[in-house]
Amino acid sequence: MTQKTFEVAGTSTLNGVTKVRFANDYVGRFKILVKNGHVDINLLELGEKMTKGQICQVLLAHPNFQDEAAQSAIAEFVVRNVKEINVEEAAEMA
């Protein structure tokens, strides 16, 4: 099974809920999020293609994603969706 990879990732908030976002087109993704009513959009161009698990590790450590909402959203995504990082590691990262 091949894993999808992405070059752009970050967080955004819709209706008070912050979630992790993944994309390959920064401008396109940003425009769609704005159009759909998202706020606090914080996307990062990664400079290389990465898996969702790799991206979450980068975002958890990145200075732009240290606020509580972003850290919680990233850790929750890892726990629910990323098989390459176990639950204990995600809890330690948050």
Side-chain angles (χ1 to χ4, degrees):
M1 181 179 105
T2 59
Q3 289 189 311
K4 287 181 106 176
T5 56
F6 303 89
E7 294 182 70
V8 175
T11 57
S12 71
T13 303
L14 181 64
N15 299 326
V17 179
T18 301
K19 292 188 177 182
V20 183
R21 309 294 172 188
F22 303 94
N24 281 309
D25 174 22
Y26 182 94
V27 174
R29 186 63 165 142
F30 195 92
K31 285 180 178 178
I32 289 169
L33 292 172
V34 169
K35 179 181 163 210
N36 290 334
H38 291 247
V39 295
D40 298 327
I41 301 167
N42 188 4
L43 296 177
L44 177 68
E45 289 186 283
L46 302 164
E48 63 181 297
K49 289 189 173 287
M50 297 183 184
T51 65
K52 288 182 177 181
Q54 292 168 326
I55 290 167
C56 287
Q57 289 177 310
V58 168
L59 295 181
L60 282 169
H62 196 281
N64 291 359
F65 298 92
Q66 293 306 305
D67 60 282
E68 185 177 345
Q71 288 286 304
S72 296
I74 299 162
E76 183 177 334
F77 181 87
V78 169
V79 169
R80 290 184 177 186
N81 302 291
V82 180
K83 305 297 183 248
E84 60 203 77
I85 302 173
N86 67 35
V87 174
E88 292 80 22
E89 288 176 7
E92 289 171 14
M93 286 185 226

Coordinates of all heavy atoms in Angstrom, one line a residue:
M1 N 0.8 -1.2 0.0 CA 0.0 0.0 0.0 C 0.9 1.2 0.0 O 1.8 1.4 0.8 CB -0.9 0.0 1.3 CG -1.8 1.2 1.3 SD -2.8 1.1 2.8 CE -2.0 2.3 3.8
T2 N 0.6 2.1 -0.9 CA 1.4 3.4 -0.9 C 0.7 4.4 -0.1 O -0.5 4.5 -0.1 CB 1.6 3.9 -2.4 OG1 0.3 4.1 -2.9 CG2 2.3 2.9 -3.2
Q3 N 1.5 5.2 0.6 CA 0.9 6.3 1.4 C 0.9 7.6 0.6 O 1.8 7.9 -0.1 CB 1.7 6.5 2.7 CG 1.6 5.4 3.6 CD 2.3 5.7 5.0 OE1 3.4 6.1 5.0 NE2 1.6 5.5 6.1
K4 N -0.2 8.3 0.8 CA -0.3 9.6 0.1 C 0.7 10.6 0.8 O 0.9 10.5 2.0 CB -1.7 10.2 0.3 CG -2.7 9.5 -0.6 CD -4.1 10.2 -0.4 CE -4.4 11.0 -1.6 NZ -5.7 11.6 -1.6
T5 N 1.3 11.5 0.0 CA 2.2 12.5 0.5 C 1.7 13.9 0.2 O 0.9 14.1 -0.8 CB 3.6 12.3 0.0 OG1 3.6 12.3 -1.5 CG2 4.2 10.9 0.4
F6 N 2.1 14.8 1.0 CA 1.7 16.2 0.9 C 2.8 17.1 1.1 O 3.8 16.8 1.8 CB 0.6 16.5 2.0 CG -0.6 15.5 1.9 CD1 -0.6 14.3 2.6 CD2 -1.7 15.8 1.1 CE1 -1.7 13.5 2.5 CE2 -2.7 15.0 1.0 CZ -2.7 13.8 1.7
E7 N 2.7 18.3 0.5 CA 3.8 19.3 0.6 C 3.4 20.5 1.4 O 4.2 21.4 1.7 CB 4.2 19.8 -0.8 CG 4.9 18.8 -1.7 CD 5.3 19.3 -3.0 OE1 6.2 20.1 -3.1 OE2 4.7 18.9 -4.0
V8 N 2.1 20.6 1.7 CA 1.5 21.7 2.5 C 0.7 21.2 3.6 O -0.1 20.2 3.4 CB 0.7 22.7 1.6 CG1 0.0 23.8 2.4 CG2 1.5 23.2 0.4
A9 N 0.8 21.7 4.8 CA 0.0 21.3 5.9 C -0.1 22.3 7.0 O 0.7 23.3 7.0 CB 0.6 20.0 6.5
G10 N -1.0 22.2 7.9 CA -1.2 23.1 8.9 C -2.5 22.9 9.6 O -3.1 21.8 9.6
T11 N -3.1 23.9 10.2 CA -4.3 23.8 11.0 C -5.3 25.0 10.6 O -4.8 26.0 10.0 CB -4.1 23.9 12.5 OG1 -3.4 25.2 12.8 CG2 -3.2 22.8 13.0
S12 N -6.5 24.7 10.8 CA -7.5 25.8 10.6 C -8.7 25.5 11.5 O -8.8 24.3 12.0 CB -8.0 25.9 9.2 OG -8.8 24.8 8.8
T13 N -9.5 26.5 11.8 CA -10.7 26.3 12.7 C -12.0 26.6 11.9 O -12.1 27.6 11.2 CB -10.5 27.3 13.9 OG1 -9.2 27.0 14.5 CG2 -11.6 27.1 14.9
L14 N -12.9 25.7 12.1 CA -14.2 25.9 11.5 C -15.3 25.6 12.6 O -15.2 24.5 13.3 CB -14.5 24.9 10.4 CG -15.8 25.0 9.7 CD1 -16.0 26.4 9.0 CD2 -15.9 23.9 8.6
N15 N -16.2 26.5 12.9 CA -17.2 26.4 13.9 C -16.6 26.0 15.3 O -17.1 25.2 16.0 CB -18.2 25.3 13.5 CG -18.9 25.7 12.2 OD1 -19.2 26.9 11.9 ND2 -19.2 24.7 11.4
G16 N -15.4 26.7 15.6 CA -14.8 26.5 16.9 C -14.0 25.2 17.0 O -13.4 24.9 18.1
V17 N -13.9 24.4 15.9 CA -13.1 23.2 16.0 C -11.9 23.3 15.1 O -12.0 23.6 13.9 CB -14.0 22.0 15.5 CG1 -13.2 20.7 15.6 CG2 -15.2 21.8 16.4
T18 N -10.7 23.1 15.8 CA -9.4 23.2 15.0 C -9.0 21.8 14.6 O -9.1 20.9 15.4 CB -8.3 23.8 15.9 OG1 -8.7 25.1 16.4 CG2 -7.0 23.9 15.2
K19 N -8.6 21.7 13.3 CA -8.2 20.4 12.7 C -7.0 20.6 11.9 O -6.7 21.7 11.4 CB -9.3 19.8 11.9 CG -10.6 19.4 12.6 CD -11.5 18.7 11.7 CE -12.7 18.2 12.5 NZ -13.7 17.4 11.7
V20 N -6.3 19.5 11.7 CA -5.1 19.4 10.8 C -5.6 19.4 9.4 O -6.5 18.7 9.0 CB -4.2 18.2 11.1 CG1 -2.9 18.2 10.3 CG2 -3.9 18.2 12.6
R21 N -4.9 20.1 8.5 CA -5.2 20.2 7.1 C -4.0 19.8 6.3 O -2.9 20.1 6.6 CB -5.6 21.6 6.7 CG -6.7 22.2 7.5 CD -8.0 21.5 7.4 NE -9.0 22.0 8.4 CZ -10.1 21.5 8.7 NH1 -10.5 20.4 8.0 NH2 -10.9 22.0 9.6
F22 N -4.2 19.0 5.2 CA -3.1 18.6 4.3 C -3.4 19.0 2.9 O -4.6 18.9 2.5 CB -3.0 17.0 4.4 CG -2.7 16.5 5.8 CD1 -3.8 16.1 6.6 CD2 -1.4 16.5 6.3 CE1 -3.6 15.6 7.9 CE2 -1.2 16.0 7.6 CZ -2.3 15.6 8.4
A23 N -2.4 19.3 2.1 CA -2.7 19.7 0.7 C -1.3 19.6 -0.1 O -0.3 19.4 0.5 CB -3.2 21.1 0.7
N24 N -1.5 19.8 -1.4 CA -0.3 20.0 -2.2 C -0.2 21.3 -2.9 O 0.8 21.6 -3.5 CB -0.2 18.8 -3.2 CG 0.3 17.6 -2.6 OD1 1.3 17.5 -1.9 ND2 -0.5 16.5 -2.8
D25 N -1.2 22.1 -2.7 CA -1.3 23.4 -3.4 C -1.7 24.5 -2.3 O -2.8 24.5 -1.8 CB -2.3 23.4 -4.5 CG -2.6 24.8 -5.1 OD1 -1.7 25.7 -5.0 OD2 -3.7 25.0 -5.7
Y26 N -0.7 25.2 -1.9 CA -0.9 26.2 -0.8 C -2.0 27.2 -1.1 O -2.9 27.3 -0.3 CB 0.4 27.0 -0.5 CG 0.4 27.9 0.6 CD1 0.8 27.6 1.9 CD2 -0.1 29.2 0.4 CE1 0.7 28.5 2.9 CE2 -0.2 30.2 1.5 CZ 0.2 29.8 2.7 OH 0.2 30.7 3.8
V27 N -1.9 27.9 -2.2 CA -2.9 28.9 -2.6 C -4.2 28.3 -2.7 O -5.2 28.9 -2.2 CB -2.4 29.7 -3.8 CG1 -3.5 30.7 -4.3 CG2 -1.1 30.4 -3.6
G28 N -4.3 27.2 -3.5 CA -5.6 26.6 -3.7 C -6.3 26.2 -2.4 O -7.5 26.4 -2.2
R29 N -5.5 25.6 -1.5 CA -6.1 25.1 -0.2 C -6.5 26.3 0.6 O -7.6 26.2 1.3 CB -5.0 24.2 0.5 CG -5.6 23.6 1.8 CD -6.7 22.6 1.4 NE -7.0 21.8 2.6 CZ -8.2 21.4 2.9 NH1 -9.3 21.7 2.2 NH2 -8.4 20.6 3.9
F30 N -5.7 27.3 0.7 CA -6.0 28.5 1.5 C -7.3 29.1 1.0 O -8.2 29.4 1.8 CB -4.8 29.5 1.4 CG -4.9 30.6 2.4 CD1 -4.2 30.4 3.6 CD2 -5.6 31.7 2.2 CE1 -4.3 31.4 4.6 CE2 -5.7 32.7 3.2 CZ -5.0 32.5 4.4
K31 N -7.4 29.3 -0.3 CA -8.6 29.9 -0.9 C -9.9 29.1 -0.5 O -10.9 29.6 -0.2 CB -8.5 30.0 -2.4 CG -7.6 31.1 -2.8 CD -7.6 31.2 -4.3 CE -6.7 32.3 -4.8 NZ -6.6 32.4 -6.3
I32 N -9.8 27.7 -0.6 CA -10.9 26.9 -0.3 C -11.3 27.0 1.2 O -12.5 27.1 1.5 CB -10.6 25.4 -0.7 CG1 -10.6 25.3 -2.2 CG2 -11.6 24.4 0.0 CD1 -10.0 23.9 -2.7
L33 N -10.3 27.0 2.1 CA -10.6 27.1 3.5 C -11.3 28.5 3.8 O -12.3 28.5 4.5 CB -9.3 27.0 4.3 CG -8.7 25.6 4.3 CD1 -7.3 25.6 4.9 CD2 -9.6 24.5 4.9
V34 N -10.8 29.5 3.2 CA -11.4 30.9 3.4 C -12.8 30.9 2.9 O -13.7 31.3 3.6 CB -10.6 32.0 2.7 CG1 -11.3 33.3 2.7 CG2 -9.2 32.2 3.4
K35 N -13.0 30.3 1.7 CA -14.3 30.3 1.1 C -15.3 29.5 1.9 O -16.5 29.9 2.0 CB -14.2 29.7 -0.3 CG -15.5 29.5 -1.1 CD -15.3 28.8 -2.4 CE -16.6 28.3 -3.0 NZ -16.5 27.2 -3.8
N36 N -14.9 28.5 2.6 CA -15.7 27.7 3.4 C -15.9 28.2 4.8 O -16.6 27.5 5.6 CB -15.2 26.2 3.4 CG -15.4 25.6 2.1 OD1 -16.3 25.9 1.3 ND2 -14.6 24.6 1.8
G37 N -15.3 29.3 5.1 CA -15.6 30.0 6.4 C -14.6 29.6 7.5 O -14.8 29.9 8.7
H38 N -13.4 29.0 7.2 CA -12.4 28.7 8.2 C -11.7 30.0 8.7 O -11.6 30.9 7.9 CB -11.4 27.7 7.6 CG -11.9 26.4 7.3 ND1 -11.5 25.3 8.0 CD2 -12.8 26.0 6.4 CE1 -12.1 24.2 7.5 NE2 -13.0 24.6 6.5
V39 N -11.3 29.9 9.9 CA -10.6 31.0 10.5 C -9.3 30.5 11.1 O -9.1 29.2 11.2 CB -11.4 31.8 11.6 CG1 -12.6 32.5 11.0 CG2 -11.8 30.9 12.7
D40 N -8.4 31.4 11.5 CA -7.1 30.9 12.1 C -6.4 29.9 11.2 O -5.9 28.9 11.7 CB -7.3 30.4 13.5 CG -7.9 31.4 14.5 OD1 -7.5 32.6 14.4 OD2 -8.6 31.0 15.4
I41 N -6.4 30.2 9.9 CA -5.7 29.3 9.0 C -4.2 29.5 9.1 O -3.7 30.6 8.9 CB -6.2 29.6 7.5 CG1 -7.7 29.5 7.4 CG2 -5.5 28.7 6.5 CD1 -8.4 30.0 6.2
N42 N -3.5 28.4 9.3 CA -2.1 28.5 9.5 C -1.5 27.3 8.7 O -1.4 26.2 9.2 CB -1.7 28.4 11.0 CG -0.2 28.6 11.2 OD1 0.5 28.9 10.3 ND2 0.2 28.4 12.5
L43 N -1.1 27.6 7.4 CA -0.5 26.6 6.6 C 1.0 26.8 6.4 O 1.4 27.9 6.4 CB -1.2 26.6 5.2 CG -2.7 26.3 5.2 CD1 -3.3 26.4 3.8 CD2 -3.0 24.9 5.7
L44 N 1.7 25.7 6.2 CA 3.1 25.7 6.1 C 3.5 24.9 4.8 O 3.1 23.8 4.6 CB 3.7 25.0 7.3 CG 5.2 24.8 7.4 CD1 5.9 26.2 7.6 CD2 5.5 23.9 8.6
E45 N 4.4 25.5 4.0 CA 4.9 24.8 2.9 C 6.1 24.0 3.4 O 7.1 24.6 4.0 CB 5.4 25.8 1.8 CG 4.2 26.4 1.1 CD 4.5 27.3 -0.1 OE1 5.0 28.4 0.1 OE2 4.4 26.8 -1.2
L46 N 6.1 22.7 3.2 CA 7.1 21.8 3.9 C 8.4 21.7 3.1 O 9.4 21.3 3.7 CB 6.4 20.4 4.0 CG 5.2 20.4 4.9 CD1 4.4 19.1 4.7 CD2 5.5 20.7 6.3
G47 N 8.4 22.0 1.8 CA 9.6 21.9 1.0 C 9.9 20.6 0.4 O 10.8 20.4 -0.3
E48 N 9.1 19.6 0.9 CA 9.2 18.2 0.3 C 8.0 17.5 0.6 O 7.2 17.8 1.5 CB 10.4 17.5 1.0 CG 10.3 17.3 2.5 CD 11.5 16.6 3.0 OE1 11.8 15.4 2.7 OE2 12.2 17.2 3.9
K49 N 7.8 16.4 -0.1 CA 6.6 15.5 0.1 C 6.8 14.7 1.3 O 7.8 14.1 1.5 CB 6.3 14.7 -1.1 CG 5.8 15.5 -2.3 CD 5.3 14.5 -3.4 CE 4.7 15.3 -4.5 NZ 3.3 15.8 -4.2
M50 N 5.8 14.6 2.2 CA 5.8 13.8 3.4 C 4.5 13.1 3.6 O 3.5 13.5 3.2 CB 6.1 14.7 4.6 CG 7.3 15.5 4.6 SD 7.5 16.4 6.2 CE 9.0 17.3 5.9
T51 N 4.5 12.1 4.4 CA 3.3 11.4 4.8 C 2.6 12.2 6.0 O 3.3 13.0 6.6 CB 3.6 10.0 5.4 OG1 4.4 10.1 6.6 CG2 4.4 9.1 4.4
K52 N 1.4 11.8 6.2 CA 0.7 12.5 7.3 C 1.4 12.4 8.7 O 1.4 13.3 9.5 CB -0.8 12.1 7.4 CG -1.6 12.6 6.2 CD -3.0 12.1 6.3 CE -3.9 12.7 5.1 NZ -5.3 12.3 5.2
G53 N 1.9 11.2 8.9 CA 2.6 10.9 10.2 C 3.9 11.8 10.3 O 4.1 12.4 11.3
Q54 N 4.7 11.9 9.2 CA 5.9 12.7 9.2 C 5.5 14.2 9.4 O 6.1 14.9 10.1 CB 6.6 12.6 7.9 CG 7.3 11.2 7.7 CD 7.7 11.0 6.3 OE1 7.2 11.4 5.3 NE2 8.8 10.2 6.2
I55 N 4.4 14.6 8.7 CA 4.0 16.0 8.8 C 3.6 16.3 10.3 O 3.9 17.4 10.8 CB 2.8 16.3 7.8 CG1 3.3 16.2 6.4 CG2 2.1 17.6 8.2 CD1 2.3 16.2 5.3
C56 N 2.8 15.4 10.9 CA 2.4 15.7 12.3 C 3.6 15.9 13.2 O 3.6 16.7 14.1 CB 1.5 14.6 12.8 SG -0.2 14.7 12.0
Q57 N 4.6 15.1 13.0 CA 5.8 15.2 13.8 C 6.5 16.6 13.6 O 6.9 17.2 14.6 CB 6.8 14.1 13.5 CG 6.4 12.8 14.0 CD 7.3 11.6 13.7 OE1 7.7 11.5 12.5 NE2 7.7 10.8 14.7
V58 N 6.5 17.1 12.4 CA 7.1 18.4 12.0 C 6.2 19.5 12.7 O 6.7 20.4 13.3 CB 7.2 18.6 10.5 CG1 7.4 20.1 10.2 CG2 8.2 17.7 9.9
L59 N 4.9 19.4 12.5 CA 4.0 20.4 13.0 C 4.0 20.5 14.6 O 4.0 21.6 15.1 CB 2.5 20.2 12.6 CG 2.3 20.3 11.1 CD1 0.8 20.0 10.8 CD2 2.7 21.6 10.5
L60 N 4.1 19.3 15.2 CA 4.1 19.3 16.7 C 5.3 20.1 17.2 O 5.3 20.7 18.3 CB 4.1 17.9 17.2 CG 2.8 17.2 17.2 CD1 2.9 15.7 17.5 CD2 1.8 17.8 18.3
A61 N 6.5 20.0 16.5 CA 7.7 20.7 16.9 C 7.9 22.1 16.4 O 8.7 22.8 16.9 CB 8.9 19.8 16.5
H62 N 7.1 22.5 15.4 CA 7.3 23.8 14.7 C 6.8 24.9 15.6 O 5.7 24.8 16.2 CB 6.5 23.8 13.4 CG 6.9 24.8 12.5 ND1 6.5 26.1 12.6 CD2 7.7 24.8 11.4 CE1 7.0 26.9 11.7 NE2 7.8 26.1 10.9
P63 N 7.6 26.0 15.7 CA 7.2 27.1 16.5 C 5.8 27.8 16.2 O 5.2 28.3 17.1 CB 8.3 28.2 16.3 CG 9.3 27.6 15.3 CD 8.9 26.2 15.0
N64 N 5.4 27.7 14.9 CA 4.1 28.3 14.5 C 2.9 27.5 15.0 O 1.7 27.9 14.8 CB 4.0 28.5 13.0 CG 5.0 29.5 12.5 OD1 5.7 30.1 13.3 ND2 5.0 29.7 11.2
F65 N 3.1 26.3 15.6 CA 2.0 25.4 15.9 C 2.0 25.0 17.4 O 1.6 24.0 17.8 CB 2.0 24.2 15.0 CG 1.8 24.5 13.6 CD1 2.8 24.7 12.8 CD2 0.5 24.7 13.1 CE1 2.7 25.0 11.4 CE2 0.3 25.0 11.7 CZ 1.4 25.2 10.9
Q66 N 2.5 26.0 18.2 CA 2.7 25.6 19.7 C 1.5 26.0 20.5 O 1.4 25.7 21.7 CB 4.0 26.3 20.2 CG 5.2 25.7 19.6 CD 5.3 24.2 19.8 OE1 5.2 23.7 20.9 NE2 5.5 23.5 18.7
D67 N 0.5 26.7 19.9 CA -0.7 27.1 20.7 C -1.5 25.8 21.1 O -1.4 24.8 20.4 CB -1.5 28.1 20.0 CG -2.1 27.6 18.7 OD1 -1.3 27.6 17.7 OD2 -3.2 27.2 18.6
E68 N -2.3 25.9 22.1 CA -3.0 24.8 22.6 C -3.9 24.2 21.6 O -4.0 22.9 21.5 CB -3.8 25.2 23.9 CG -4.5 24.0 24.6 CD -5.2 24.4 25.8 OE1 -5.0 25.5 26.4 OE2 -6.0 23.6 26.3
A69 N -4.7 25.0 20.8 CA -5.6 24.5 19.8 C -4.9 23.6 18.8 O -5.3 22.5 18.4 CB -6.4 25.6 19.2
A70 N -3.8 24.1 18.3 CA -3.0 23.4 17.2 C -2.4 22.1 17.8 O -2.5 21.1 17.2 CB -1.9 24.3 16.7
Q71 N -1.8 22.2 19.0 CA -1.2 21.0 19.5 C -2.2 19.9 19.8 O -2.0 18.8 19.5 CB -0.4 21.4 20.9 CG 0.8 22.2 20.6 CD 2.0 21.3 20.1 OE1 2.3 20.3 20.7 NE2 2.5 21.7 19.0
S72 N -3.4 20.3 20.3 CA -4.4 19.4 20.6 C -5.0 18.7 19.3 O -5.2 17.5 19.2 CB -5.6 20.0 21.3 OG -5.2 20.5 22.6
A73 N -5.2 19.6 18.3 CA -5.7 19.0 17.0 C -4.7 18.1 16.4 O -5.1 17.0 15.9 CB -5.9 20.2 16.0
I74 N -3.4 18.4 16.4 CA -2.4 17.5 15.8 C -2.3 16.2 16.6 O -2.3 15.1 16.0 CB -1.0 18.2 15.8 CG1 -1.1 19.5 14.9 CG2 0.0 17.3 15.2 CD1 0.0 20.5 15.1
A75 N -2.2 16.3 17.9 CA -2.1 15.1 18.7 C -3.4 14.2 18.5 O -3.3 13.0 18.4 CB -2.0 15.4 20.2
E76 N -4.6 14.8 18.5 CA -5.8 14.0 18.3 C -5.8 13.3 16.9 O -6.2 12.2 16.8 CB -7.0 14.9 18.4 CG -8.3 14.2 18.2 CD -9.5 15.1 18.4 OE1 -9.4 16.1 19.1 OE2 -10.6 14.8 17.8
F77 N -5.3 14.0 15.9 CA -5.2 13.4 14.5 C -4.3 12.2 14.6 O -4.6 11.2 14.0 CB -4.7 14.4 13.5 CG -4.6 13.8 12.1 CD1 -5.7 13.9 11.3 CD2 -3.5 13.2 11.7 CE1 -5.7 13.3 10.0 CE2 -3.4 12.6 10.4 CZ -4.5 12.7 9.6
V78 N -3.1 12.4 15.3 CA -2.2 11.3 15.3 C -2.8 10.0 16.0 O -2.7 8.9 15.5 CB -0.9 11.7 16.1 CG1 0.0 10.5 16.4 CG2 -0.1 12.7 15.3
V79 N -3.5 10.3 17.1 CA -4.1 9.2 17.9 C -5.1 8.4 17.0 O -5.2 7.2 17.0 CB -4.7 9.7 19.2 CG1 -5.6 8.6 19.8 CG2 -3.6 10.2 20.1
R80 N -5.9 9.2 16.3 CA -7.0 8.6 15.5 C -6.6 8.0 14.2 O -7.2 7.1 13.7 CB -8.1 9.6 15.3 CG -8.8 10.0 16.5 CD -10.0 10.9 16.2 NE -10.7 11.2 17.4 CZ -11.8 11.9 17.4 NH1 -12.3 12.4 16.3 NH2 -12.4 12.2 18.5
N81 N -5.5 8.6 13.5 CA -5.3 8.2 12.1 C -3.9 7.7 11.8 O -3.7 7.2 10.7 CB -5.6 9.5 11.3 CG -7.0 10.0 11.5 OD1 -7.9 9.4 11.0 ND2 -7.1 11.1 12.1
V82 N -2.9 8.0 12.6 CA -1.5 7.7 12.1 C -1.0 6.4 12.8 O -0.9 6.4 14.0 CB -0.6 8.9 12.5 CG1 0.8 8.6 12.0 CG2 -1.1 10.1 11.8
K83 N -0.9 5.4 12.0 CA -0.4 4.1 12.5 C 1.1 4.1 12.7 O 1.5 3.3 13.5 CB -0.8 3.0 11.5 CG -2.2 3.0 11.1 CD -3.2 2.7 12.3 CE -4.6 2.6 11.9 NZ -5.4 3.7 12.4
E84 N 1.8 4.9 12.1 CA 3.3 4.9 12.2 C 3.8 5.5 13.5 O 5.0 5.4 13.9 CB 4.0 5.5 11.0 CG 3.6 7.0 10.8 CD 3.8 7.4 9.3 OE1 3.0 7.1 8.5 OE2 4.8 8.1 9.1
I85 N 2.9 6.2 14.2 CA 3.3 6.8 15.5 C 2.3 6.2 16.5 O 1.1 6.3 16.3 CB 3.1 8.3 15.5 CG1 4.0 9.0 14.5 CG2 3.5 8.9 16.9 CD1 3.8 10.5 14.3
N86 N 2.7 5.6 17.6 CA 1.8 5.0 18.5 C 1.2 6.1 19.5 O 1.7 7.2 19.6 CB 2.4 3.8 19.3 CG 3.5 4.2 20.2 OD1 3.5 5.3 20.8 ND2 4.5 3.4 20.4
V87 N 0.2 5.7 20.2 CA -0.6 6.6 21.1 C 0.3 7.2 22.2 O 0.2 8.4 22.5 CB -1.8 5.8 21.7 CG1 -2.5 6.7 22.7 CG2 -2.7 5.4 20.6
E88 N 1.2 6.4 22.7 CA 2.1 6.9 23.8 C 3.0 8.0 23.3 O 3.2 9.0 23.9 CB 2.9 5.8 24.4 CG 2.2 4.8 25.2 CD 1.5 3.7 24.3 OE1 1.9 3.5 23.2 OE2 0.5 3.1 24.8
E89 N 3.5 7.8 22.1 CA 4.4 8.9 21.5 C 3.6 10.1 21.2 O 4.1 11.2 21.5 CB 5.0 8.4 20.2 CG 6.1 7.3 20.3 CD 6.6 6.8 19.0 OE1 6.2 7.4 17.9 OE2 7.3 5.8 19.0
A90 N 2.3 10.0 20.8 CA 1.5 11.2 20.5 C 1.2 11.9 21.8 O 1.3 13.2 21.8 CB 0.2 10.8 19.8
A91 N 1.0 11.2 22.9 CA 0.7 11.8 24.1 C 1.9 12.6 24.7 O 1.8 13.7 25.2 CB 0.2 10.8 25.2
E92 N 3.1 12.0 24.5 CA 4.4 12.6 24.9 C 4.6 13.9 24.1 O 5.2 14.9 24.6 CB 5.5 11.7 24.7 CG 5.5 10.5 25.7 CD 6.6 9.5 25.4 OE1 7.5 9.7 24.6 OE2 6.5 8.4 26.0
M93 N 4.2 13.9 22.8 CA 4.5 15.0 21.9 C 3.6 16.2 22.3 O 4.0 17.4 22.1 CB 4.2 14.7 20.4 CG 5.3 13.8 19.8 SD 4.9 13.6 18.1 CE 5.0 11.8 17.9
A94 N 2.4 15.9 22.7 CA 1.4 17.0 23.0 C 1.8 17.8 24.2 O 2.5 17.4 25.1 CB 0.0 16.4 23.1

